[in-house]
Amino acid sequence: MQKTFTGLLLTLVVSGCGLLENTNTDQNVEKAATLAQLETVLELPFRPGNVSATKSGRVFATVHPFAGEQGIQLLEVTGPNSYQPWPSSKVQSPKGQYSENTIDTPLGITKDKQGGLWIVDMGLHIGKTRIWGFDIDSGELISKIVLPTDIAPANSFVQDLVVDRERGWVYLADLANPGILAVELATNKVRRFGNHPSLKPEVNAKMVINGQAVMFGGKPANTGINPITLSADGETLFFGAMNGRTWYSVPAKLFRDGVADDVIAHHITRVGEKPISDGATTDSFGNHFITNLNENGIDKLSANGVLTPLIRDARLNWPDNVSADDNGWLYISVNQLHKSPRFSDGADIGKAPYYIYRVWANTQ
């Protein structure tokens, strides 16, 4: 654990009770982190992408596009060391075989309030970004939407999404061409909002993990909007740049009403500070839980704008996403992404196993 963690006040929630621990030494930080009771949900031989869990305890995850050919893209956890293709093997792409009818390279995953599970499929092999929605109980396809190439061109990296099925909208974040995409489910019409400072990386928000600057393509990693979340009432979108320290909000109704970009820009508001992040989730109380890549942890941004550490643990070695279930738990996928070939000059220096964890946060 790095000395930069020293002196942080860790808000550790165990068995529904808040526990505050002042930490003054590296040894104390390690001890305090253990008290957070990070629990293993699944151990994997390959990199998970993002994870989502239901109130009944079912856990689903995508396989990260940087995990290499695994022959499976979407899975359900069946035990601490086991999983199965979900909703069936028919929608998975066998190694090297991708088609219009099978999942290509998914990453973002989320559930709606009507029993649906949704993924965004970046289509890095077939060249099409798609949204898939499945009924959790039956596994039946709810919807499959192909995003037009003028909205999601081939160089896009649309990796995160939230779904408001009650009002019939999906909102997505494009990291590579920084923008928010809004899809109307009834018509499959898509609009893009981009070219705004809130969507872009911030100058001094450097990604440094375990003392090493994170490189991507031979240059310091420097990416825009990621992640994106939605308030419980479906009325507010929250977002921030991966290489950014500011968490923003904007009324979702503006996208539903189809207002001009300058009107949306005018209504973007700063919510508070955020860490250098990959994933985030917003609970029913308006609290935001955001992965902290630089400090191997999860941070909590309260509804009143106060940012505090929730957990620090060396095992959170690139927490790719964090997702709240409906029982008070946060689920976290961890995949050492900065050690994958895309980040490390073509060599995979990650070491299996990779993990899905959970930690109690009283988010119900």
Side-chain angles (χ1 to χ4, degrees):
M1 193 69 68
Q2 299 179 46
K3 291 184 178 180
T4 53
F5 301 166
T6 304
L8 288 172
L9 180 66
L10 302 184
T11 306
L12 306 175
V13 184
V14 182
S15 299
C17 299
L19 174 63
L20 299 179
E21 178 88 2
N22 288 314
T23 58
N24 297 308
T25 68
D26 290 352
Q27 183 178 3
N28 285 340
V29 171
E30 292 284 355
K31 182 179 179 181
T34 302
L35 293 175
Q37 294 190 352
L38 197 64
E39 297 184 6
T40 298
V41 175
L42 177 64
E43 183 178 301
L44 282 164
F46 52 78
R47 289 181 170 89
N50 289 181
V51 61
S52 184
T54 69
K55 188 171 185 177
S56 64
R58 297 179 69 180
V59 182
F60 304 91
T62 55
V63 176
H64 201 284
F66 295 174
E69 297 283 354
Q70 301 298 330
I72 183 173
Q73 289 75 36
L74 178 60
L75 62 85
E76 180 176 6
V77 177
T78 56
N81 300 101
S82 63
Y83 58 87
Q84 63 184 9
W86 194 87
S88 70
S89 59
K90 293 181 180 179
V91 297
Q92 315 292 325
S93 294
K95 293 183 179 181
Q97 302 177 41
Y98 302 91
S99 74
E100 299 285 344
N101 299 317
T102 60
I103 301 170
D104 185 337
T105 41
L107 188 46
I109 184 170
T110 190
K111 60 185 184 295
D112 63 35
K113 294 181 179 180
Q114 287 73 38
L117 188 75
W118 299 78
I119 60 172
V120 56
D121 179 354
M122 294 184 287
L124 299 181
H125 296 99
I126 69 171
K128 297 178 181 179
T129 301
R130 296 174 293 177
I131 302 168
W132 301 70
F134 299 97
D135 181 82
I136 293 174
D137 286 341
S138 68
E140 295 296 321
L141 185 68
I142 297 170
S143 182
K144 183 172 71 172
I145 301 168
V146 179
L147 302 186
T149 54
D150 60 329
I151 298 292
N155 63 341
S156 295
F157 203 83
V158 185
Q159 70 162 42
D160 205 1
L161 81 165
V162 287
V163 178
D164 179 7
R165 196 163 153 207
E166 180 181 353
R167 295 168 184 79
W169 287 83
V170 179
Y171 307 95
L172 308 102
D174 184 353
L175 179 150
N177 300 299
I180 296 174
L181 282 58
V183 183
E184 186 178 27
L185 289 173
T187 63
N188 291 355
K189 291 182 178 179
V190 189
R191 67 89 53 86
R192 168 184 281 270
F193 170 75
N195 196 30
H196 189 271
S198 64
L199 305 169
K200 300 176 181 179
E202 297 176 13
V203 175
N204 295 318
K206 306 300 182 183
M207 195 179 296
V208 180
I209 300 178
N210 298 328
Q212 299 293 320
V214 176
M215 309 296 285
F216 189 82
K219 299 178 181 179
N222 192 40
T223 53
I225 179 174
N226 180 38
I228 188 169
T229 72
L230 186 66
S231 62
D233 63 6
E235 293 298 341
T236 307
L237 284 169
F238 301 96
F239 65 93
M242 193 173 192
N243 282 87
R245 296 192 178 278
T246 310
W247 192 236
Y248 296 97
S249 71
V250 65
K253 189 175 187 297
L254 299 179
F255 289 91
R256 300 197 302 265
D257 289 348
V259 304
D261 283 3
D262 60 342
V263 177
I264 293 176
H266 178 73
H267 285 85
I268 292 175
T269 303
R270 182 184 186 276
V271 177
E273 187 179 357
K274 66 176 280 293
I276 310 302
S277 65
D278 199 336
T281 190
T282 298
D283 70 12
S284 59
F285 302 113
N287 300 304
H288 313 279
F289 297 90
I290 308 172
T291 68
N292 187 325
L293 297 180
N294 284 12
E295 298 183 1
N296 303 97
I298 305 294
D299 288 356
K300 176 183 177 180
L301 178 63
S302 67
N304 59 357
V306 178
L307 183 70
T308 55
L310 174 71
I311 182 172
R312 297 288 184 267
D313 194 304
R315 290 173 292 176
L316 296 180
N317 197 6
W318 194 291
D320 199 296
N321 92 308
V322 58
S323 177
D325 69 3
D326 298 311
N327 301 310
W329 291 92
L330 296 176
Y331 285 75
I332 310 161
S333 62
V334 179
N335 55 24
Q336 305 172 45
L337 198 64
H338 56 303
K339 298 180 180 182
S340 66
R342 298 286 186 98
F343 287 84
S344 54
D345 294 328
D348 193 342
I349 57 177
K351 294 183 179 180
Y354 303 95
Y355 291 95
I356 293 172
Y357 295 111
R358 71 175 188 171
V359 64
W360 174 257
N362 196 25
T363 62
Q364 80 267 49

